[in-house]
Amino acid sequence: MVSSKVSGNDNGFSFNSASDVNFDFYENTTDYSRPIVSPIAYNAMGFYKYELIGTIFDEAGRMIFKIKIEPRQPELAAYGGFIYIVEELYNIQGVDVFVTGASLNEPALDTIFIRQVHVPVRKPDAWRLFSQTITIKGDILGFKFGGDFTSIYRNYELQPTFPKGFFDNESFKVEEGANEKGLAHFDTIRPLPLSPLEFIDYNKKDSLQVIRESRPYLDSLDRKNNKFIPLSLLMGYTYNRSFKRESFTFESPANSLQFHTVHGWYGYLGLRYRKAYDRFKTRRLESGLKMMYGFSEKRPRLSGDFQYDFNRTHFSRIRLSGGLEPQQFNRENPISPSLNSMYSLWGKRNYSKVFEKAFGRLEGRHELFNGVLLEAGFEYARRRPLQNTSDYSFVPKVQREYTSNTPETEEPGQPETFIEHTALLVDVNLRLRLNQEYISYPKIKFVLESKWPDLWIRYRAGIAPGAARFHYLSLSLEKEGFQMGVAGQSGFFLQAGRFFKAGKAFLWTTAISTETRPSSATRWNTAIDSSSAILSIQYPGAPCPGALGAPVPGLPFRQNPRSAKTWSFRGAQRESPLGGGASPILGGCNRGRSIGMGIISALSGRCGRLVFGRRI
């Protein structure tokens, strides 16, 4: 993009990329949120009904067939409208079609209209797109919206030559200063003149932008929006200084009130500071303090963090955090506080098991070059067990007792409970993504995708003497959200790894559950050796939510309404192997923490999950 103009926003870029509006009906499908089958695709007969409306002649005397197309079913992934085909050449002369929001699985969209005109650019049969108009109509909560996008294509080169290495993975680039050109520049290159309404819109919004970015205007908005009211004590409060691009936020404990058998009722009191250093927010700073208080254990815990993002073309970030806080044994936190609170208060089931961690951690990331991302971290932690301090429940008549927060072991000769220990951890992750495509804006890079899976090389080591001394190396292949045509999306996760110089460890397992809830067993099971392997496969299917619509904990991918069936086979990883009679590892039953298989039934809506430990 060499030039762009957005009315009322000299910091923005218009929607005028040819690749973004490339609706090529010669391709079998067109990618929207759902792929739509072309009316001339190889399998189009299964999606469309056709009717010849008549014939017309163009200015060169060529006969054009006007054909009506209609989806065989209302919500099929297909267009409706008309397509125009040239006699004898059988290429497209034009299209006048539409696709509905129902066909796209987009409830907010009503209809997208596409009108194209194709013209001959070289005799006898080289035709190319000349003009295209896209019209969008929609409705969100009764508010209607719409828009028109017109594109003109010219100066075709049918047999261009490029030097070797001319193309790379940069699919689109916005030149420096592309959005700084005035209206006089566009008057010399615009294929269509501005309409009177567009001319008024540019002048009005450009004038308003000058006012809305001035300090007096921004300060007046802040004075109005920064007013403190008593309700702010419950809902939280943010104080903005818009001209300086910074804000201060008070996070109310009322918004975070939860229940846990270790803490009783608890909440967080937080303060956060955010600062952007330029209009594009290429450098950003965020820091905060958070105090947690459990009313049953009567103990406050304080933690804080500092994060600085300083390069959005290489995704560079540095983060420092530390303090005292509870953490689940599975550090990926598969059981949300709200879900655990609901099960505890209404069913007297405490699935979340936590320990206390006093820690300091320094971590960072940087993309070395396109597709190669490096992450590294260093952490000191003092971990100690926590005991239940509350047996409160909304249903006191339930004939059930809360389980212990400290996992038990069935291995003879091993300690019965998780004991206090120190960990000094180093982790280095390297992600390799082949042929990663991206878009370049001034000082900003947006990653698109790659047809290849991500290769992750992960190294994690415990270097403290005693309990948490180990070395773990793993390789994984991951791919989420790749298209399977009109069938939807799929993904997979494959991982293998090994511990080096580590003693034996224990795997935290869960029992079988055929209800839409987590399993209740929480104990240390049989010892595992130093290898691991994981295979997880996802395919499109119907959703199977947990209780009250919550996601089922432990599944390997984010669930969504169109992609929720999952089969997974998982291998064991370990964080702190046993050594010198110390505690078991901090494991769990989420990705990379156990061997398991999850099955979701779309027919019954019930979920079954089996997690088990075995030697590999």
Side-chain angles (χ1 to χ4, degrees):
M1 181 187 294
V2 296
S3 57
S4 173
K5 176 64 176 174
V6 179
S7 61
N9 185 7
D10 61 5
N11 198 32
F13 298 94
S14 59
F15 184 69
N16 65 351
S17 165
S19 60
D20 289 335
V21 290
N22 182 28
F23 296 96
D24 188 353
F25 287 87
Y26 288 104
E27 297 289 337
N28 288 320
T29 60
T30 305
D31 289 334
Y32 300 87
S33 57
R34 177 190 186 189
I36 302 298
V37 177
S38 169
I40 59 173
Y42 74 94
N43 58 341
M45 297 297 291
F47 289 82
Y48 290 95
K49 294 185 290 185
Y50 299 88
E51 179 184 354
L52 178 61
I53 300 300
T55 59
I56 57 177
F57 292 88
D58 64 6
E59 64 276 4
R62 290 179 288 256
M63 181 181 290
I64 311 296
F65 296 108
K66 181 179 181 181
I67 301 172
K68 181 180 179 180
I69 58 174
E70 182 180 350
R72 290 189 175 273
Q73 297 178 11
E75 296 184 359
L76 212 57
Y79 295 98
F82 300 93
I83 185 170
Y84 300 84
I85 303 296
V86 181
E87 186 191 27
E88 295 183 353
L89 298 178
Y90 295 103
N91 58 354
I92 297 176
Q93 187 272 341
V95 296
D96 187 356
V97 298
F98 64 88
V99 61
T100 64
S103 296
L104 295 171
N105 287 332
E106 293 289 350
L109 279 176
D110 179 33
T111 311
I112 298 178
F113 298 90
I114 301 175
R115 299 174 182 88
Q116 292 183 349
V117 175
H118 295 240
V119 297
V121 295
R122 188 180 64 187
K123 294 181 180 181
D125 58 354
W127 290 56
R128 294 294 184 269
L129 178 62
F130 170 70
S131 67
Q132 175 178 266
T133 300
I134 302 171
T135 301
I136 300 175
K137 295 182 179 180
D139 188 324
I140 299 179
L141 300 177
F143 294 93
K144 297 185 181 297
F145 64 90
D148 296 286
F149 303 89
T150 299
S151 305
I152 303 295
Y153 299 82
R154 59 186 181 184
N155 299 330
Y156 279 102
E157 292 186 33
L158 299 183
Q159 294 179 327
T161 58
F162 301 98
K164 186 178 180 180
F166 179 81
F167 291 103
D168 55 18
N169 294 318
E170 186 180 47
S171 63
F172 183 68
K173 180 179 181 179
V174 177
E175 299 286 351
E176 192 78 31
N179 61 341
E180 299 175 0
K181 295 179 171 62
L183 289 176
H185 165 78
F186 293 96
D187 290 338
T188 63
I189 63 172
R190 193 187 310 276
L192 297 175
L194 288 176
S195 67
L197 183 61
E198 289 174 322
F199 186 81
I200 294 173
D201 181 79
Y202 273 111
N203 281 278
K204 179 180 178 181
K205 290 184 178 179
D206 287 352
S207 300
L208 288 174
Q209 182 191 5
V210 176
I211 297 174
R212 289 172 176 170
E213 291 185 349
S214 64
R215 183 163 190 167
Y217 179 82
L218 293 175
D219 288 347
S220 67
L221 286 181
D222 289 342
R223 282 193 296 270
K224 179 178 178 60
N225 296 328
N226 289 341
K227 290 183 179 179
F228 185 87
I229 59 176
L231 190 61
S232 300
L233 294 173
L234 295 177
M235 304 304 296
Y237 173 74
T238 296
Y239 181 84
N240 290 297
R241 295 204 291 186
S242 302
F243 188 76
K244 294 185 177 182
R245 305 185 187 93
E246 61 183 5
S247 66
F248 303 84
T249 299
F250 161 73
E251 299 171 349
S252 170
N255 288 333
S256 59
L257 190 63
Q258 303 286 352
F259 177 82
H260 196 286
T261 54
V262 169
H263 320 296
W265 289 100
Y266 71 95
Y268 291 93
L269 177 66
L271 294 174
R272 297 208 69 79
Y273 171 74
R274 296 177 178 89
K275 169 74 174 178
Y277 291 93
D278 55 60
R279 299 175 64 190
F280 286 100
K281 298 181 179 179
T282 57
R283 294 189 301 122
R284 295 171 295 178
L285 182 148
E286 181 174 349
S287 62
L289 289 174
K290 180 174 64 176
M291 187 186 73
M292 172 191 172
Y293 185 79
F295 290 92
S296 178
E297 61 178 345
K298 297 180 174 59
R299 185 180 184 190
R301 294 181 175 89
L302 184 67
S303 61
D305 64 272
F306 172 90
Q307 179 174 303
Y308 181 50
D309 295 85
F310 54 92
N311 189 320
R312 292 187 66 181
T313 59
H314 290 279
F315 311 106
S316 303
R317 169 186 296 172
I318 187 170
R319 177 180 172 85
L320 177 65
S321 58
L324 186 67
E325 63 183 26
Q327 180 179 302
Q328 291 188 40
F329 285 97
N330 183 345
R331 64 192 181 101
E332 294 185 10
N333 299 316
I335 304 176
S336 67
S338 57
L339 185 64
N340 184 73
S341 297
M342 180 182 63
Y343 277 117
S344 297
L345 294 173
W346 294 102
K348 213 166 187 181
R349 299 180 185 274
N350 54 327
Y351 296 116
S352 173
K353 308 299 180 181
V354 298
F355 63 94
E356 185 177 76
K357 182 174 74 170
F359 74 103
R361 179 173 177 82
L362 176 64
E363 57 189 316
R365 75 178 187 192
H366 181 76
E367 188 179 52
L368 303 178
F369 47 90
N370 184 51
V372 180
L373 181 69
L374 177 65
E375 300 176 341
F378 178 81
E379 177 179 318
Y380 168 83
R382 183 69 181 173
R383 301 155 165 172
R384 74 178 190 90
L386 294 173
Q387 306 296 331
N388 291 336
T389 63
S390 174
D391 62 353
Y392 180 76
S393 173
F394 287 160
V395 190
K397 295 182 180 180
V398 174
Q399 299 300 315
R400 186 184 298 114
E401 296 296 330
Y402 284 120
T403 57
S404 171
N405 180 68
T406 305
E408 301 173 355
T409 179
E410 295 179 348
E411 185 76 4
Q414 296 298 332
E416 293 298 323
T417 59
F418 168 70
I419 64 173
E420 186 173 350
H421 65 281
T422 299
L424 197 59
L425 304 172
V426 176
D427 50 85
V428 180
N429 303 323
L430 186 68
R431 188 207 65 194
L432 305 177
R433 180 179 291 167
L434 297 178
N435 295 329
Q436 174 181 273
E437 296 184 1
Y438 62 95
I439 296 175
S440 295
Y441 283 75
K443 300 181 181 180
I444 303 176
K445 175 181 177 180
F446 294 98
V447 173
L448 297 178
E449 59 181 13
S450 170
K451 65 179 181 180
W452 300 100
D454 293 346
L455 172 63
W456 280 93
I457 304 173
R458 294 182 172 93
Y459 171 74
R460 186 170 175 84
I463 57 178
R469 191 169 184 83
F470 68 97
H471 299 271
Y472 179 76
L473 181 66
S474 71
L475 298 176
S476 67
L477 285 175
E478 306 177 20
K479 183 66 175 177
E480 291 191 41
F482 64 85
Q483 288 289 342
M484 297 181 64
V486 296
Q489 293 184 337
S490 184
F492 65 87
F493 176 86
L494 174 65
Q495 176 168 308
R498 182 175 180 85
F499 281 91
F500 300 90
K501 299 180 181 179
K504 68 179 180 178
F506 291 85
L507 178 67
W508 184 25
T509 65
T510 63
I512 298 175
S513 171
T514 57
E515 302 178 33
T516 53
R517 60 175 178 81
S519 177
S520 58
T522 53
R523 63 179 63 188
W524 300 103
N525 203 23
T526 184
I528 60 175
D529 72 357
S530 57
S531 298
S532 69
I534 303 169
L535 171 62
S536 177
I537 302 174
Q538 184 186 31
Y539 67 94
C544 183
L548 299 184
V552 181
L555 294 184
F557 293 88
R558 293 187 299 273
Q559 298 181 70
N560 61 68
R562 295 187 296 276
S563 181
K565 286 188 179 178
T566 303
W567 282 318
S568 64
F569 300 87
R570 300 176 172 187
Q573 291 184 16
R574 299 176 298 175
E575 289 189 26
S576 57
L578 292 172
S583 62
I585 64 168
L586 305 181
C589 50
N590 200 12
R591 188 168 81 182
R593 297 295 182 268
S594 62
I595 307 172
M597 178 176 65
I599 301 175
I600 297 179
S601 170
L603 298 178
S604 65
R606 296 168 70 83
C607 303
R609 184 162 175 264
L610 172 64
V611 180
F612 54 92
R614 58 160 291 193
R615 290 186 181 274
I616 301 178

